[in-house]
Amino acid sequence: MIFALALTFFAASIQPAAAEKVLKLGHMMPLVSVEQSCALKFKELVETRSNGRLKIEIYPAGQLGRDKDILEALQFGTLDLGVITTSPQTNFAKEIGVLDVPYLFRDWDHVGKLMHADFYDSLLSSTEKAMFYNFCLLPRGFRNVTNNTRPIVEPSDLNGLKIRVIESPVFVDTFKALGASPQAMSWGEVFTALQQGAIDGQENAMITIYDEHVYEVQKYVSNTRHIFAFASLCGSKMLFDGYPKEDQDLIRQAAKDTAESMMGVVRADVKKVEDKLVAKGMLVNDVNADAFRSVIKPVQEKIAKDYSEDFFNKIKALAE
């Protein structure tokens, strides 16, 4: 009996540690980007908190495809994680499209209130039916218009300009209402189209304008602040549901802590980026914000009804 107990104890003492698990994370943005910074912070938190048992392998710069490709890989369970712009997610889960309602967010403080609102998790969970999780929102800043023709001050200054927008009805409808000629196209085509003059301009977050070297092919950047840009840290529902609960909890918390950490970093960086763009030769100007809001109001209400009037009203109320 004593020998048997000793043998059992010895066998238990030499059991191998829990096997290391490698999770692959993809995103389409360059090595110097908000998305990469978020991925690195998330990797640090997950690996530290799991004592190295969970490893995150990051595949940046479109190595695994564009946003749509990464989303589909998550849905089919061929990829664990992704950092993905929320706008393309609307094609899979329409409620998340409420984030793209033009002139919904007043300022960064308004965005911060959303991330602590009691309905925040419900908004995130709207993508689960499409077989991927949104673990957190990652703020990227307000989107602004660049072009080579003139500074945009009034909505009428956009009349006739060919402006590249995300392949989303929200963005197309927004810029049609503002008088522009929106050109929906994949980001991979944009730099060349700007360079060749096939389009007059584009719209994006300030940090993306800088990180993607838009200043090399554009002269004016106007602070239209028409839509707030978000990315999110996503996970494959098919794969994630099979993880042990302790790993699920660890990943969810690491994602939320990443978002909290990056919120302050990105907000501070946006203020610095405008100076960097000026140093690169771009001319930056403010716009008549009240005029833009007035023109876009009917479109705002229509878009809210198409996606989620409930979430729209809740988000809007946070600013009151």
Side-chain angles (χ1 to χ4, degrees):
M1 175 65 74
I2 293 174
F3 176 76
L5 287 172
L7 190 60
T8 300
F9 175 80
F10 176 75
S13 68
I14 62 170
Q15 285 294 315
E20 179 183 291
K21 185 174 183 62
V22 177
L23 306 178
K24 294 183 177 181
L25 183 155
H27 68 82
M28 72 176 202
M29 299 304 284
L31 287 173
V32 179
S33 64
V34 173
E35 287 78 0
Q36 178 69 357
S37 296
C38 290
L40 289 170
K41 182 63 179 178
F42 177 70
K43 171 184 171 71
E44 174 196 335
L45 293 178
V46 169
E47 293 184 355
T48 299
R49 293 175 182 180
S50 69
N51 295 316
R53 184 174 53 78
L54 297 178
K55 299 287 187 185
I56 306 292
E57 286 185 356
I58 302 172
Y59 296 83
Q63 292 180 46
L64 303 182
R66 313 298 291 178
D67 279 340
K68 183 175 181 291
D69 304 312
I70 293 171
L71 275 171
E72 290 176 348
L74 295 178
Q75 289 177 307
F76 292 114
T78 56
L79 179 66
D80 299 280
L81 301 157
V83 179
I84 304 168
T85 305
T86 55
S87 297
Q89 297 177 27
T90 304
N91 297 317
F92 301 90
K94 72 173 189 174
E95 292 90 345
I96 206 72
V98 74
L99 296 172
D100 288 339
V101 172
Y103 294 100
L104 172 58
F105 291 96
R106 288 281 174 179
D107 50 32
W108 277 87
D109 289 339
H110 190 181
V111 174
K113 287 179 180 179
L114 167 63
M115 295 172 66
H116 294 93
D118 57 5
F119 61 87
Y120 177 61
D121 287 340
S122 295
L123 176 60
L124 292 180
S125 66
S126 65
T127 64
E128 292 178 19
K129 59 183 177 291
M131 295 303 291
F132 66 93
Y133 286 111
N134 265 333
F135 298 128
C136 65
L137 292 178
L138 301 166
R140 296 168 54 227
F142 285 95
R143 301 179 77 94
N144 300 292
V145 174
T146 72
N147 83 102
N148 276 331
T149 306
R150 54 183 171 263
I152 307 302
V153 178
E154 303 289 339
S156 59
D157 293 325
L158 281 165
N159 286 349
L161 293 186
K162 294 180 180 178
I163 303 294
R164 177 269 174 179
V165 297
I166 288 176
E167 296 166 291
S168 158
V170 173
F171 283 76
V172 172
D173 289 349
T174 296
F175 277 84
K176 278 183 179 177
L178 292 171
S181 174
Q183 310 291 308
M185 65 173 68
S186 167
W187 180 251
E189 307 168 38
V190 175
F191 193 91
T192 301
L194 291 170
Q195 200 170 36
Q196 296 176 347
I199 54 176
D200 299 304
Q202 61 88 53
E203 52 79 49
N204 232 308
M206 282 293 201
I207 290 176
T208 303
I209 292 169
Y210 184 79
D211 289 343
E212 293 285 351
H213 296 216
V214 174
Y215 53 80
E216 294 179 5
V217 289
Q218 295 273 266
K219 183 176 181 179
Y220 303 104
V221 55
S222 303
N223 284 312
T224 50
R225 295 164 62 89
H226 50 278
I227 291 172
F228 194 90
F230 291 95
S232 66
L233 213 160
C234 303
S236 167
K237 188 175 189 304
M238 185 180 296
L239 298 177
F240 186 82
D241 287 352
Y243 300 166
K245 186 176 184 306
E246 67 171 306
D247 290 349
Q248 292 183 10
D249 292 344
L250 188 153
I251 288 168
R252 286 187 184 278
Q253 190 59 51
K256 288 184 177 180
D257 291 345
T258 296
E260 287 293 330
S261 172
M262 294 307 301
M263 174 79 169
V265 171
V266 176
R267 186 173 183 175
D269 283 350
V270 167
K271 294 178 181 178
K272 301 173 187 174
V273 163
E274 187 171 310
D275 292 336
K276 290 180 180 179
L277 291 173
V278 170
K280 292 292 185 180
M282 293 196 85
L283 301 177
V284 181
N285 69 275
D286 292 327
V287 306
N288 183 348
D290 289 339
F292 275 82
R293 287 181 181 277
S294 177
V295 168
I296 215 66
K297 196 170 191 307
V299 177
Q300 184 189 63
E301 292 171 353
K302 176 186 178 298
I303 292 170
K305 288 178 182 177
D306 288 345
Y307 289 93
S308 175
E309 199 166 12
D310 179 46
F311 282 130
F312 169 76
N313 289 330
K314 287 176 178 177
I315 293 171
K316 191 174 179 181
L318 293 174
E320 296 172 357

